[in-house]
Each structure stands twice: as C-alpha cells, then as structure tokens.
Amino acid sequence: PPARNDGVTQLSAAQTRFSLKAQAPTPIGKLSAFIEMDFFGPGNVTRLRHGIGQAGSVLAGHTWSTFMDLYSLPRTVAITAPSGAIFTRHALIRWYASKSGPIHVTFALEGPKKDLTPTATDDRTLQRWPDFIATFRHARGAKGHIQLGGILRRIGVEHVSGMTQETNGWGAMLSGRVTAFGRNSIGVGGFVGDGIGSYIAGLATSP
C-alpha cells in the first residue's frame, strides 16, 4: 500500500511515570509501601504498574513476578523486555524466607493469568489455584549473581457441556549476571516449561 512508502512520526508521553514511596521502622521490621503509575492504559489513561506493601519479610500487591530475574535482562529502549524473556507483573503474596548475606530464598503465590484459548465461545478458562513460585539466588555484590527459579500452576477449561479438562503447568529458569570489566556486565538466562506463556514477553499481553 502507498502508506508503507511514507515514514511515520509518533510522539507519546505514555511512558511518563508517577511514583510514591513511604517507609517506617516497626518491631517486625521495615514497613513500606510503593505505588507507581504510567499512561499505558486504554486511551492513554493511567495504569497501575506497581502497588505493593511490605511488612518485614512479607510483601503483597501488584509488581514484578517472583519467577523473573529483572537484573539479568538487557536494558532496552522499548517499555518491554526482548521477546522470549520471562517478563510480567502479577498480583502476588511473597515471602522472603532468607535475605541475609549472599543467599536469598523466596516463595510466592501469584494470581494466575489465562494460558488457554477455549475452542468455543461459551467455554470458560479455569484458574482454580494461584501459581506457586520459588527462587534461590546467590549474590556476590558488585561481582554479580546467579538465580534458579521454579513454578507450578494448574490451568484448564470448562466446556459448555459441563466437562472440564485440566493440566499442570510448570517451568524452571536459570539466570544471572556477572561483571565483565569496568562498568560492563553480561546477563544470561534460559528456561524450560509448559503452560507458562503468560510469563513470556511477546506472548503476554501487558508491557
């Protein structure tokens, strides 16, 4: 089409962000809250990116999935990560079982997202249980880190006839970043799994 022969200029302030953070010490540890919004909602209206509260070792709200390793991803101009990376935000409850010294162990229950497309318009996707995620990270300060993560989930569909079909989803991920020289570093990551498409950039629906 002729339109393909013309260049396109697009200006947008959708990536503009507003954030607010508050924190205070308590007998059970630091009490903190954080909220961040941008303008990537429908029609460039405000959208919640992060909204979390933390008391001691327990965090709850809407933020980056525990399964992803944000610090192993490359920096991009785009608002999302490169296609194929684990990259998503979920409603969740997270417990930092160990976060002292170089060893970090984390467990989380996260709100499931749809990973099935029903074959009939009257079929209903099933998400009976939250996704369970566990991660183990060994951090060496400025030298880098390595992280191992796992996920278990239950997905299914209920047909209009009343028959249900369910299966287990699972995934495992190994990632990390190491300082190479000066301010340069190398980030790597790989994963395997089944039924975890909603966690993958390019397949998930939200940047």
Side-chain angles (χ1 to χ4, degrees), residues 56-72:
S57 60
V58 178
L59 178 148
H62 177 87
T63 190
W64 298 120
S65 171
T66 310
F67 189 48
M68 66 180 281
D69 183 357
L70 182 64
Y71 298 104
S72 71

Side-chain angles (χ1 to χ4, degrees), residues 194-207:
D194 188 24
I196 59 171
S198 60
Y199 285 79
I200 302 173
L203 299 180
T205 58
S206 178

Side-chain angles (χ1 to χ4, degrees), residues 91-116:
L92 54 81
I93 300 174
R94 181 185 299 162
W95 174 44
Y96 296 98
S98 173
K99 201 176 179 181
S100 59
I103 304 300
H104 298 175
V105 180
T106 308
F107 300 98
L109 296 176
E110 302 196 0
K113 293 183 178 179
K114 294 180 180 180
D115 262 315
L116 292 173

Side-chain angles (χ1 to χ4, degrees), residues 78-206:
I79 192 173
T80 187
S83 295
I86 298 294
F87 185 83
T88 184
R89 288 183 294 272
H90 281 185
L92 54 81
I93 300 174
R94 181 185 299 162
W95 174 44
Y96 296 98
S98 173
K99 201 176 179 181
S100 59
I103 304 300
H104 298 175
V105 180
T106 308
F107 300 98
L109 296 176
E110 302 196 0
K113 293 183 178 179
K114 294 180 180 180
D115 262 315
L116 292 173
T117 302
T119 56
T121 56
D122 292 331
D123 290 349
R124 182 172 66 94
T125 56
L126 299 176
Q127 298 157 296
R128 300 183 189 274
W129 305 102
D131 300 345
F132 174 75
I133 297 172
T135 61
F136 173 89
R137 173 184 290 228
H138 187 269
R140 295 294 301 275
K143 295 181 179 180
H145 75 277
I146 186 170
Q147 178 170 308
L148 176 65
I151 178 174
L152 291 175
R153 60 197 313 246
R154 186 75 172 168
I155 54 178
V157 62
E158 181 182 25
H159 299 284
V160 67
S161 64
M163 181 183 70
T164 62
Q165 294 177 291
E166 292 186 88
T167 188
N168 294 321
W170 64 273
M173 178 177 177
L174 181 63
S175 58
R177 180 170 289 276
V178 61
T179 299
F181 55 91
R183 300 178 61 182
N184 300 292
S185 61
I186 300 173
V188 296
F191 64 90
V192 296
D194 188 24
I196 59 171
S198 60
Y199 285 79
I200 302 173
L203 299 180
T205 58
S206 178

Side-chain angles (χ1 to χ4, degrees), residues 5-64:
N5 297 326
D6 298 328
V8 176
T9 298
Q10 182 177 358
L11 302 178
S12 172
Q15 293 197 45
T16 303
R17 299 175 187 175
F18 295 98
S19 62
L20 177 66
K21 183 176 183 179
Q23 61 184 34
T26 70
I28 62 172
K30 183 174 67 175
L31 181 66
S32 64
F34 176 75
I35 186 169
E36 182 180 77
M37 307 184 77
D38 63 19
F39 293 87
F40 270 96
N44 287 339
V45 300
T46 55
R47 178 192 66 161
L48 178 69
R49 278 177 52 85
H50 301 280
I52 55 175
Q54 182 173 351
S57 60
V58 178
L59 178 148
H62 177 87
T63 190
W64 298 120

